[in-house]
Amino acid sequence: MAGLGLGMGGPSPGADSPAVDTSEMVHISALALLKMLKHARAGVPMEVMGLMLGEFVDDYTVRVIDVYSMPQSGNSVSVEAVDPVFQQKMLEMLGQVGRAENCVGWYHSHPGFGCWLSSVDVSTAQSFESSTPQQRGVSVVVDPIQSVTGKVVLSAFRTINMQQSIMGIEPRQTTSNVGWLDKPSTQTLMRGLNRNYYQLPCSYRKNEAEIRMLLKVYEKGWESGLQLQAPAQNKKENIQTVQTLKKLCKEYEKMVTTGLDADEVANVGKLNAKHHVEMEVESLMNRNVDQVLSTMIAAVVF
């Protein structure tokens, strides 16, 4: 199907050029997603921005492999335009360390007010799209405030050629990926979705190295057991444990003297003082042995 290119700098209406198919998917790596969220979270309540590195795999796939932040300053509602000098220097330095990917788009944050593009964002997006092959640059918006609920609030957009829109020409092909798109909010529709820009579906891909990295984030090694606790905190926990043991021992003595310890039916649903005494004693011994061992190792090493 023949169509028309996107972006303000695209071919004139009627030109016989392939249109960007909206069935394309934006694949974001785990590393890029974590760096975007961390950068956006650090900038709250101000907006921050950065560039996305990756590749256009084919006509239907945009892969985002890595991102890096830009030194632009922003306020709570807008962010400055991209610095081309810094961008060129950063790409040259990344090339020296083996990062040969090209810029496939940009990202910025909307702390607390959803994912959409303002008029300034649309202008920035158009400049990015004009510098990418077939004007396929992607604009990603992430909301670090709403993402704290456990679900990443992130959307990818691409602008619509206003000249084509005024003439009533469809700027893109309509394919079956509509079911993959998130239902837009009323605020997003009011901000120009499907008029000034359209949304692209996103997915998050992890390779084997990234899976191993994520699995080790909260993994505890053998050295964590030798971590030296503050003496005051250790003393406080020991006193609390001894007081708890004193109460449990009284409860267990009461059970033994009344003969309830042998009656399993009567003890159903009640506190098993004997079992809790064993657990507290084991915890107390392990904690103090680790503390003494860690102190001895620290004295010898340091």
Side-chain angles (χ1 to χ4, degrees), residues 177-240:
N177 77 333
V178 177
W180 293 95
L181 296 175
D182 296 332
K183 184 178 180 180
S185 63
T186 304
Q187 182 186 25
T188 306
L189 293 173
M190 293 175 59
R191 295 287 184 174
L193 181 65
N194 297 328
R195 295 196 311 271
N196 302 328
Y197 54 90
Y198 62 90
Q199 184 178 357
L200 293 170
C202 296
S203 67
Y204 309 109
R205 294 285 183 92
K206 301 184 292 294
N207 56 33
E208 294 182 1
E210 290 171 336
I211 292 175
R212 291 196 299 269
M213 176 193 69
L214 293 174
L215 290 176
K216 291 182 178 294
V217 170
Y218 297 106
E219 182 179 348
K220 292 184 178 181
W222 62 269
E223 70 280 358
S224 62
L226 298 178
Q227 185 175 2
L228 185 61
Q229 191 179 28
Q233 180 66 22
N234 184 59
K235 179 180 179 181
K236 181 179 178 181
E237 292 183 1
N238 286 340
I239 294 176
Q240 292 177 349

Side-chain angles (χ1 to χ4, degrees), residues 17 29 98 114 136 195 210 272 283 299:
S17 59
S29 68
R136 294 178 60 193
R195 295 196 311 271
E210 290 171 336
N272 190 337
S283 175

Side-chain angles (χ1 to χ4, degrees), residues 84-147:
V85 178
F86 178 85
Q87 178 182 354
Q88 183 62 30
K89 290 183 178 179
M90 191 67 184
L91 291 176
E92 291 176 357
M93 290 188 292
L94 289 171
Q96 295 176 1
V97 296
R99 278 293 189 189
E101 294 84 13
N102 296 320
C103 179
V104 296
W106 68 299
Y107 74 89
H108 73 289
S109 62
H110 277 185
F113 45 94
C115 299
W116 42 271
L117 296 181
S118 64
S119 58
V120 177
D121 298 336
V122 171
S123 300
T124 305
Q126 289 171 352
S127 65
F128 267 107
E129 292 171 12
S130 62
S131 62
T132 55
Q134 296 184 358
Q135 299 183 349
R136 294 178 60 193
V138 179
S139 303
V140 170
V141 183
V142 59
D143 190 333
I145 302 297
Q146 298 183 20
S147 296

Side-chain angles (χ1 to χ4, degrees), residues 45-64:
M46 303 300 178
E47 289 190 16
V48 297
M49 70 169 298
L51 298 185
M52 302 187 298
L53 301 176
E55 57 182 344
F56 299 102
V57 180
D58 50 35
D59 292 341
Y60 308 101
T61 307
V62 181
R63 181 180 299 164
V64 179

Side-chain angles (χ1 to χ4, degrees), residues 255-274:
M255 291 178 60
V256 173
T257 54
T258 56
L260 292 177
D261 58 323
D263 191 353
E264 297 181 357
V265 178
N267 291 326
V268 173
K270 295 183 179 180
L271 175 67
N272 190 337
K274 180 181 179 181

